[in-house]
Amino acid sequence: MLSRASRQRWWRRAAIAPGTPLPQRRLFLLPTRFGLGWAVLVLLLLLFGINYQNSLAYGLSFWLFAVAAVALLRTWRNLLGVRASLRLPAETFAGGEARLGVMLDGGRARHAIEVHAPEASASVSLPEGHGEADLALPAGARGEHPLPLLRLESAWPLGLVRAVAWLASDETLLVYPRPLVEEIPEHRQAGAGLEATDFAGLRRAEPGDSPARLAWKQWSRTGVLAAKAFSVPPRQQLWLDYDACRGDPETRLSILCARVLAHHQAGDRYGLRLPGVTLAQGEGAAQRRQALTALARFRPAGTPGGVR
């Protein structure tokens, strides 16, 4: 018997790349238990017919053999030529789930195609020639992880055999640190700094102003209707520093991850300092993505490839 590692290496050699139509030489037919039982039944009926010269047994065995041959061909054609492509998750945090999308394009109707990963599986039919399945993969430790080997499989229509193929991708899954929510500063969670809340004086009222913002006392004294003006508080500009956090390296990265999310929600300008890595101050979705990517790829000193 081959070891699991040997089987994995063999399957990877037989796998196709995403976006490649499944060729005949990479498609394998494996009998099921039901199919083996069917074959035994055909053989027994044939032997019974030969031994007793029973035409009914002959006819039934030939009919079952013909049905099996047609089913085998239909199963093989159901998976042949299917093109599979992958959609990576938008973002994944350690300890959560990575929703890996598998898009299948068959060019014509296909039925009951199963997609299997080591810890997840899904089934999809392609009534119009295309479909999509989502695999909920558990996200382990932060960092870059290779995508698992996927298995495409179909036993349609009778389940006598399984058509099997493997899909291997060179892409990697980037897992961000798990944010420590309790470390998020409470005064930043509500999005302070995004709303105009500081009173800046009065201005002439204009059509469309909210009645709640009209200065009614001013109008009663002067007869001039004015509206209250507010200014937006200045956004914080700060640095998120690895050396200013406490705990082991993974705890520090989790704290920084939570702070990146909080300051992004608050609209602050922030930069990130890691040993050997400095991300300039910025804001918005691009800054958030760059900061989280830096945290995911950071290797502490003492680890292979880490900062020394």
Side-chain angles (χ1 to χ4, degrees), residues 211-232:
R213 293 205 169 188
L214 296 179
W216 298 107
K217 292 183 179 180
Q218 178 76 9
W219 175 71
S220 64
R221 291 197 302 267
T222 64
V224 177
L225 187 59
K228 302 174 185 178
F230 296 86
S231 63
V232 178

Side-chain angles (χ1 to χ4, degrees), residues 54-106:
N54 189 304
S55 59
L56 180 61
Y58 275 124
L60 185 57
S61 64
F62 292 152
W63 180 79
L64 291 176
F65 179 81
V67 170
V70 173
L72 186 148
L73 179 62
R74 295 295 299 274
T75 303
W76 179 71
R77 293 190 70 249
N78 190 50
L79 207 55
L80 181 67
V82 170
R83 187 193 306 267
S85 55
L86 302 179
R87 186 192 68 250
L88 294 178
E91 59 182 28
T92 304
F93 293 91
E97 280 188 347
R99 307 291 298 188
L100 179 64
V102 182
M103 285 78 71
L104 301 178
D105 184 6

Side-chain angles (χ1 to χ4, degrees), residues 294-307:
L295 293 174
R297 291 177 173 168
F298 175 70
R299 294 186 177 181
T303 61
V307 178

Side-chain angles (χ1 to χ4, degrees), residues 235-245 252-253 255-264 267-275 277-284 286-292 294-295:
R235 294 182 174 182
Q236 292 195 29
Q237 299 189 27
L238 44 88
W239 286 96
L240 307 180
D241 200 328
Y242 177 89
D243 292 330
C245 299
R252 296 187 186 195
L253 295 174
I255 292 173
L256 291 174
C257 179
R259 291 179 179 175
V260 167
L261 298 178
H263 290 298
H264 169 74
D268 297 330
R269 286 182 58 85
Y270 59 90
L272 179 65
R273 290 189 182 123
L274 300 172
V277 178
T278 300
L279 178 63
Q281 288 184 338
E283 58 185 288
Q287 180 74 359
R288 177 183 184 272
R289 183 174 60 256
Q290 292 177 18
L292 292 177
L295 293 174

